[in-house]
Amino acid sequence: MKEKKLLKKLVIIIAVVFALFFALVAYMVVKQIQEEKILKQEIINYSNKDLATDDFSITVKTSGDCAYVEEAVKKFYKQLSDNVKTINFYLNNDKLTNILSYENLVKDRPNFDLSHSTIKIAKDKINESFDNIKNLSEEKTIKNLIDKDKLEDSKYYYDLYLSLMYTEKDLETLKTVRKEMERLSNNLNEFLNKIDEILYFLENNNSKVVYSNNLIYFETNEELNQYNKLLSELNELGNNLSNKEIVKKDTTGI
């Protein structure tokens, strides 16, 4: 009788253990599904943001392998956005557009050292940012964004990552962003080079220039015509910067 009771208790204990085990497995499966759902939504949310204006501060909302993937992707978008914002900043920087203002020319003449320095700093920042964008949008950068050795289930989560970030549509959109940033950076460099050229022209002809009543006067029509020609070329370059739209990554297909 005692043996039967003991056996019954043992069966109950085993049943409870199995029930707890399956409940734990079910919980882990449900939790994984929920984590992946959150991960996918977070990536969609980030990739739908405007690279030039939106906030890309990083808050990780998942855990485990999902958290590692989420943080890596968000860091990627933040770096991409930071560099796009830098180019966009110089695209709309009043300090640059006012270099040729009457007030600045009078204040900085005859060598325009501060103006030349401002242009150089801007060009360096623009070129550095474009180089970063170019590197970030390379296919090898996207593939190597995740270190599989840091994932517990490396193959599953790496494949999941690739399905979210390495589709043909994703790569094509990043390529578009890179081309747009290249266009803007090249146009900005040409625009700034032309401002530099105008400053050097004024510097070299300083003895022939009179600044008075918000106007610039030249001794001869030859210098005046050269100056107007440079301004016309600058205006044309400025028109090339008129399209200031920053491309966003389209994720409507996810």
Side-chain angles (χ1 to χ4, degrees):
M1 191 65 133
K2 290 183 178 180
E3 292 180 357
K4 287 184 178 180
K5 287 184 179 181
L6 184 60
L7 181 60
K8 185 177 181 180
K9 287 182 179 179
L10 184 60
V11 170
I12 293 174
I13 292 173
I14 293 174
V16 170
V17 171
F18 271 101
L20 290 174
F21 173 76
F22 286 116
L24 179 61
V25 171
Y27 169 77
M28 295 300 293
V29 170
V30 171
K31 181 176 174 56
Q32 179 178 334
I33 293 172
Q34 291 176 336
E35 291 278 296
E36 290 178 12
K37 184 177 180 180
I38 295 172
L39 172 65
K40 292 176 182 178
Q41 188 59 53
E42 284 299 298
I43 291 178
I44 290 173
N45 291 343
Y46 260 62
S47 57
N48 273 331
K49 288 184 175 186
D50 190 313
L51 293 170
T53 58
D54 285 340
D55 178 21
F56 282 81
S57 56
I58 299 171
T59 302
V60 178
K61 298 183 179 181
T62 55
S63 60
D65 284 346
C66 283
Y68 173 67
V69 174
E70 181 188 352
E71 185 174 15
V73 171
K74 287 184 174 181
K75 283 183 177 179
F76 166 81
Y77 277 113
K78 187 177 188 311
Q79 290 174 349
L80 188 61
S81 174
D82 287 347
N83 286 284
V84 168
K85 285 173 181 173
T86 296
I87 293 178
N88 202 42
F89 168 78
Y90 286 106
L91 184 65
N92 299 281
N93 191 347
D94 291 339
K95 194 172 183 180
L96 291 175
T97 56
N98 289 332
I99 283 180
L100 293 180
S101 67
Y102 178 85
E103 292 79 7
N104 185 70
L105 292 177
V106 170
K107 181 175 63 176
D108 202 25
R109 66 181 299 212
N111 298 322
F112 305 105
D113 292 330
L114 182 58
S115 297
H116 287 306
S117 176
T118 300
I119 291 173
K120 183 182 185 308
I121 291 172
K123 287 169 62 178
D124 288 345
K125 290 290 186 182
I126 291 166
N127 294 331
E128 179 185 1
S129 294
F130 173 67
D131 287 342
N132 291 335
I133 292 171
K134 184 178 179 181
N135 177 63
L136 286 167
S137 57
E138 294 286 344
E139 291 189 29
K140 63 179 181 180
T141 301
I142 306 300
K143 291 191 74 173
N144 295 327
L145 195 63
I146 298 296
D147 184 354
K148 289 190 285 186
D149 293 336
K150 293 184 178 180
L151 294 168
E152 293 181 12
D153 190 350
S154 60
K155 186 179 188 314
Y156 177 78
Y157 279 100
Y158 186 70
D159 289 345
L160 175 63
Y161 161 74
L162 292 180
S163 72
L164 295 171
M165 289 288 291
Y166 196 72
T167 66
E168 289 185 11
K169 186 175 183 180
D170 296 328
L171 297 176
E172 185 60 33
T173 303
L174 286 173
K175 182 179 179 181
T176 301
V177 171
R178 183 173 67 248
K179 285 184 177 180
E180 175 66 5
M181 291 301 100
E182 182 175 21
R183 182 188 72 82
L184 285 176
S185 62
N186 286 341
N187 288 345
L188 271 170
N189 272 289
E190 290 181 2
F191 185 79
L192 294 174
N193 286 338
K194 185 58 65 173
I195 293 178
D196 246 345
E197 185 179 351
I198 292 173
L199 293 175
Y200 283 121
F201 173 81
L202 292 173
E203 178 184 344
N204 294 332
N205 291 278
N206 183 62
S207 61
K208 304 176 183 178
V209 181
V210 175
Y211 298 83
S212 177
N213 298 321
N214 291 318
L215 293 174
I216 301 175
Y217 299 91
F218 293 88
E219 284 188 355
T220 68
N221 285 333
E222 181 180 357
E223 282 81 21
L224 176 62
N225 291 336
Q226 290 181 29
Y227 182 69
N228 287 334
K229 180 175 181 296
L230 291 172
L231 289 180
S232 176
E233 292 169 351
L234 180 67
N235 185 60
E236 184 177 348
L237 292 172
N239 291 334
N240 292 334
L241 293 170
S242 60
N243 179 15
K244 300 180 181 180
E245 179 181 0
I246 306 298
V247 180
K248 291 191 298 182
K249 183 180 175 215
D250 181 9
T251 55
T252 54
I254 292 181

